[in-house]
Amino acid sequence: MGGKSKSRAKEPKLESLKEYADGSELDLSFQDRSEIPVRELLASPQWTRVNLSGNKITKISADLGSLTHLVELNLGKNGFKEIPDTLGELIRLKKFDVRGNRLSKLPYTLAKLQNLRWLDLSENPINEGFLSRQTVGPCASEEDCRACAKQVRERVAELWKKKLKNDERLERKREREAAAQALIDKERKAEEKQRRRKEWLAKQQMATGDTDERRASESAGDTRAQAAKAAAEDSNPEAAQVGRFVSATRAGVFLVVALALAFGSRNGMDAILALIFGSRAV
């Protein structure tokens, strides 16, 4: 039901256009319209010649390109500044009137309108760098408008080719710049990696040097202690002999204790002491 209501809501608008229709022609000129009724025109493909001149259409939407059935389109005296690229989709268009607007240039896709035979661009501030006044012409007669269509389409096609070549050149330039930047980034990363590796190696060498220095210092200390001990023994041999005896005795006592623990008895300990120190120790 929702779909039917929606359809009925559209019908009055579509029906209201029919009173301005005459066969294949639809005259909607001077009605203060602010947009092209694309949806209604799509619903009525029999209207191939549409006149929307003298309205208040200041902007043309991209869906203009869906009106591929149009043969003639009059958008003169409206005030829009540009025409969308989708104009190139109107492949059946033969007559196009856009006089008295604010156009400074045309879409390059106009070159695709192979059937265009009549064009009026008069009373537009067309950029001289885009189209010369001679190319646009006054369109004061049918002959002028036909010449305008031919000359403008050829000129726009030429400009379009130049633009495509320029775009390709810019794209190749961007690709080269991107490749060069990628190489620079790669080299920078490699340099950064090398720098970090050098720092790591330096830290490792520093740590190794500290360890070697500590070991050398400890070794030197041991050597000095041994030398001092040897010097002491040389200067006092009797004291050295006593020291060696004490050390040997201490080692013997430790051995006795260990063996006693192994035998697990007092008698075993006494026997061991007797063997080491003689009967006097018992």
Side-chain angles (χ1 to χ4, degrees), residues 13 16-17 20 28-37 52 54-58 78:
K13 188 171 183 179
S16 67
L17 296 182
Y20 303 106
L28 301 177
S29 59
F30 303 101
Q31 295 184 9
D32 291 333
R33 293 181 178 273
S34 60
E35 60 181 17
I36 299 173
L52 282 160
N55 283 288
K56 298 179 179 179
I57 302 173
T58 57
N78 272 284

